[in-house]
Amino acid sequence: TGGHTTEILRLLTCLSESYSPRHYVLADSDKMSEAKIRSFEQKRAETYSKSQFTLDRIPRSREVRQSWISSVVTTLYSILYSLPLTYKRKPDLILCNGPGTCVPVCLSAFLLGLLRIKRTIIVYVESICRVETLSLSGKILYYFSDYFIVQWPDLKKKYPKSVYLGRIV
């Protein structure tokens, strides 16, 4: 919601027209991001006339200040909800940047790859505000992503699998 959406839309401005259709996945309780995405896509359509996108909603895996034990249950529910969506969309690439909503989607895609249904490249970009430590999503997806991008050199030192490209958003 808000900051993560702004960051991901900044990243998407660099993508060519060949990255179409784009499938956005939002938490069902996220009220702000849909308007930002629609505005972004409307502007993009002015440049790329064949631009296509969809919006899908899944249950939020973890609310702010939710207990760790209950968040395990809600995350499992969100993963189960994400599996049919990921199977239906069969994305070639997942580009995500940290909201908890990306974890169930990435894990679903990873599972589809293990089952040899569809191999999806997962690119995780840690939020620019994460200077010294990874977010919870980052700590989980560090092990499942194909490319793990950090925006601060200290994180690269702590997480050798990561790729440091400087500040990209």
Side-chain angles (χ1 to χ4, degrees):
T1 305
H4 287 295
T5 303
T6 300
E7 283 188 13
I8 202 73
L9 293 177
R10 282 186 189 155
L11 286 172
L12 292 178
T13 59
C14 301
L15 295 181
S16 73
E17 187 177 8
S18 62
Y19 289 93
S20 184
R22 284 166 306 289
H23 304 287
Y24 296 91
V25 180
L26 311 169
D28 55 5
S29 59
D30 184 347
K31 306 300 180 210
M32 292 173 45
S33 296
E34 183 173 349
K36 286 183 177 187
I37 292 166
R38 289 192 184 281
S39 174
F40 170 81
E41 287 293 338
Q42 187 175 26
K43 289 176 188 167
R44 188 171 177 91
E46 294 170 7
T47 305
Y48 303 115
S49 60
K50 295 181 182 180
S51 186
Q52 297 176 338
F53 75 100
T54 63
L55 287 167
D56 293 297
R57 292 188 177 271
I58 64 169
R60 187 178 291 273
S61 59
R62 184 172 186 271
E63 296 287 348
V64 175
R65 294 186 208 74
Q66 182 179 350
S67 73
W68 293 106
I69 291 175
S70 66
S71 66
V72 169
V73 174
T74 55
T75 299
L76 287 173
Y77 175 67
S78 189
I79 291 169
L80 289 174
Y81 198 92
S82 297
L83 273 168
L85 174 63
T86 309
Y87 179 79
K88 175 183 170 185
R89 298 290 183 207
K90 290 187 179 73
D92 295 319
L93 170 77
I94 294 177
L95 176 63
C96 56
N97 68 326
T101 306
C102 72
V103 173
V105 174
C106 289
L107 293 179
S108 297
F110 184 77
L111 181 60
L112 291 180
L114 288 178
L115 297 173
R116 298 189 187 275
I117 295 171
K118 171 65 177 170
R119 168 78 170 99
T120 301
I121 296 170
I122 299 172
V123 178
Y124 181 85
V125 180
E126 185 61 272
S127 176
I128 194 164
C129 67
R130 303 308 300 204
V131 177
E132 296 179 5
T133 61
L134 298 180
S135 62
L136 179 57
S137 298
K139 289 175 184 174
I140 295 168
L141 294 177
Y142 181 75
Y143 301 99
F144 297 97
S145 60
D146 296 285
Y147 301 96
F148 191 93
I149 300 169
V150 295
Q151 299 184 63
W152 295 95
D154 287 350
L155 287 177
K156 171 62 182 163
K157 291 174 193 169
K158 291 179 184 177
Y159 299 94
K161 177 190 167 195
S162 67
V163 176
Y164 169 66
L165 300 175
R167 286 173 239 153
I168 59 175
V169 294

